[in-house]
Amino acid sequence: MDIDKAIEAARAGGQVIKNLFGQALKTIEKSNVGDLKTRADTESEEAILAVLTKHFPTANIYAEESG
């Protein structure tokens, strides 16, 4: 079922964030002062995309940090 795969992806991203919780993370300004990203953003996105591309290899996925 597709919802189970989406939940798996969300949990993978959540685990990355949980592991980084409480750490001081360097912020990187993207397009303006209020648009920031951290290691938690990029690593959690990578974990989510890894699961989604495993289950949906032909899907076009637009992601916030990597495009």
Side-chain angles (χ1 to χ4, degrees), residues 22-60:
Q23 294 184 29
L25 301 175
K26 177 182 168 189
T27 57
I28 300 166
E29 188 175 308
K30 293 183 341 183
S31 61
N32 62 54
V33 173
D35 191 9
L36 306 172
K37 74 176 175 180
T38 67
R39 178 176 156 206
D41 296 313
T42 55
E43 290 183 16
S44 62
E45 181 178 283
E46 288 170 4
I48 292 166
L49 291 175
V51 173
L52 292 177
T53 56
K54 176 179 75 171
H55 292 300
F56 308 102
T58 61
N60 292 319

